[in-house]
Amino acid sequence: MALPLPDPDLTERFAADLAPLWSGQGKLGVAVSGGPDSLALLLLTHAALPGRVEVATVDHGLRAESADEAAMVAGICARLEVPHQTLTVEVPAGNVQSEARGARYAALAGWMAERGIEALATAHHADDQAETLLLRLNRGSGVAGLSGVRARGLVPGTRLPLVRPLLGWRRSELVQIVADAGLDPVMDPSNENDRFDRVRMRKAIAGAEWLDVPALAQSAANLADADAALEWAAAREWSEAVSKGPMGYTYRPQAPRAIALRVLTRLVTELDGEAPRGSAVARLFDSLVARQPASIGGLVARAMPDGWSFTEAPKRRA
């Protein structure tokens, strides 16, 4: 039996949100877990782009129910006549959430290449953005962290477009779209587990009626604009104030601290091969301003008369 599609006004609104993020003429891939957010995204994209949507469900194998949930999504896609594929991945030991994310995006990128899919859409929405902003404020994050997720980016590790057209939508709206279609979404029990910071923040937001979630999400978008401006300024500072010599780099800082920190991060990454922590870069900056030598990773930095020098630390003798 065919599924009812979202109201035409909702479809038109969604199409207007998607257009500035992706205007390709090919196929759009949609990552669907079976939760209410991603099911709503599936219904909206299918209504807005009939015949141009393909779906993938990533089965991380972390819960006994995951295979059945993927099969449920496959059944919904069959009713919509939307191509669907289940991608089974193995999640390495360690930070489970981080490892699962890496495995998920790697699998999705391979699926996109195989199916000739131009871009990937995910179901991050305004409530997600507000939660992220408040969580990171509580951790003292800088502008980049407070920007939250971006409406448009790249699938990690690739040049494939990644779009998030639901950042202006509330969770409650998406739940209603799924309910109106007569679907019973997957409810992940971890979303109710108070061990996770995000769950506690979600409940705190729900209990604070004075908080304006769309305004918080808009603040994150404004911070993303500021972050892009800082990146532009840091690139200019690099071209004008950084020089490479036989022993390493010299940086003659001209810009304010926020921009200089980004230049230092790039310097350390290029010389050491690994991006440093923001707190370590801040300590490095403060030491150099105080004209004290400092080390970071495998590098030594010194304040010289003509700028700050960065060289590889001498190898220790066995």
Side-chain angles (χ1 to χ4, degrees):
M1 183 176 65
L3 285 172
L5 294 179
D7 181 274
D9 289 343
L10 293 175
T11 301
E12 184 177 348
R13 173 186 164 192
F14 174 78
D17 289 341
L18 177 63
L21 306 180
W22 180 72
S23 57
Q25 300 303 308
K27 293 186 290 186
L28 178 67
V30 182
V32 180
S33 66
D37 308 339
S38 62
L39 285 179
L41 178 62
L42 164 60
L43 294 169
L44 288 165
T45 52
H46 173 61
L49 301 171
R52 295 175 54 200
V53 174
E54 294 203 16
V55 170
T57 302
V58 179
D59 180 1
H60 301 89
L62 297 174
R63 294 187 296 115
E65 305 85 357
S66 61
D68 290 340
E69 292 166 359
M72 181 204 76
V73 176
I76 293 171
C77 288
R79 293 172 66 185
L80 293 171
E81 299 184 351
V82 170
H84 174 273
Q85 190 168 336
T86 298
L87 310 176
T88 303
V89 301
E90 292 186 7
V91 179
N95 184 326
V96 174
Q97 289 186 332
S98 176
E99 295 292 351
R101 180 180 184 275
R104 178 168 62 252
Y105 278 120
L108 288 167
W111 166 71
M112 292 173 69
E114 179 183 318
R115 298 292 299 174
I117 292 170
E118 289 186 7
L120 177 69
T122 62
H124 295 86
H125 49 73
D127 293 76
D128 289 330
Q129 194 76 301
E131 292 161 11
T132 299
L133 175 63
L134 292 176
L135 281 167
R136 293 180 178 175
L137 275 171
N138 199 44
R139 296 169 184 164
S141 296
V143 172
L146 297 176
S147 302
V149 296
R150 313 299 171 89
R152 180 170 51 194
L154 298 174
V155 176
T158 77
R159 302 299 299 173
L160 297 167
L162 172 63
V163 297
R164 300 179 177 96
L166 296 180
L167 289 181
W169 296 62
R170 295 297 308 274
R171 178 182 286 115
S172 57
E173 294 180 284
L174 305 177
V175 168
Q176 190 60 53
I177 288 171
V178 173
D180 290 344
L183 297 177
D184 187 16
V186 171
M187 304 308 292
D188 187 341
S190 67
N191 289 332
E192 298 298 324
N193 191 333
D194 285 347
R195 290 193 305 110
F196 298 107
D197 291 346
R198 184 172 290 274
V199 173
R200 294 198 299 273
M201 181 62 74
R202 183 173 301 150
K203 292 180 179 180
I205 292 173
E209 297 180 359
W210 54 271
L211 276 177
D212 188 333
V213 169
L216 289 172
Q218 183 58 51
S219 291
N222 294 339
L223 286 162
D225 289 341
D227 183 54
L230 287 172
E231 279 297 296
W232 177 87
R236 182 167 181 172
E237 173 83 345
W238 178 279
S239 66
E240 295 178 353
V242 176
S243 57
K244 187 175 183 180
M247 301 298 291
Y249 286 93
T250 298
Y251 174 29
R252 301 170 179 84
Q254 306 171 34
R257 183 177 189 271
I259 295 169
L261 290 176
R262 293 176 182 239
V263 174
L264 290 177
T265 298
R266 179 174 170 182
L267 275 166
V268 174
T269 303
E270 295 213 358
L271 272 172
D272 202 38
E274 187 172 340
R277 288 182 175 273
S279 56
V281 175
R283 288 193 297 272
L284 173 66
F285 176 87
D286 292 340
S287 294
L288 291 170
V289 168
R291 306 198 66 77
Q292 298 293 322
S295 61
I296 183 170
L299 306 180
V300 173
R302 294 182 176 85
M304 311 294 285
D306 62 341
W308 299 343
S309 70
F310 299 83
T311 58
E312 292 186 14
K315 302 297 182 185
R316 292 186 178 180
R317 295 183 179 180

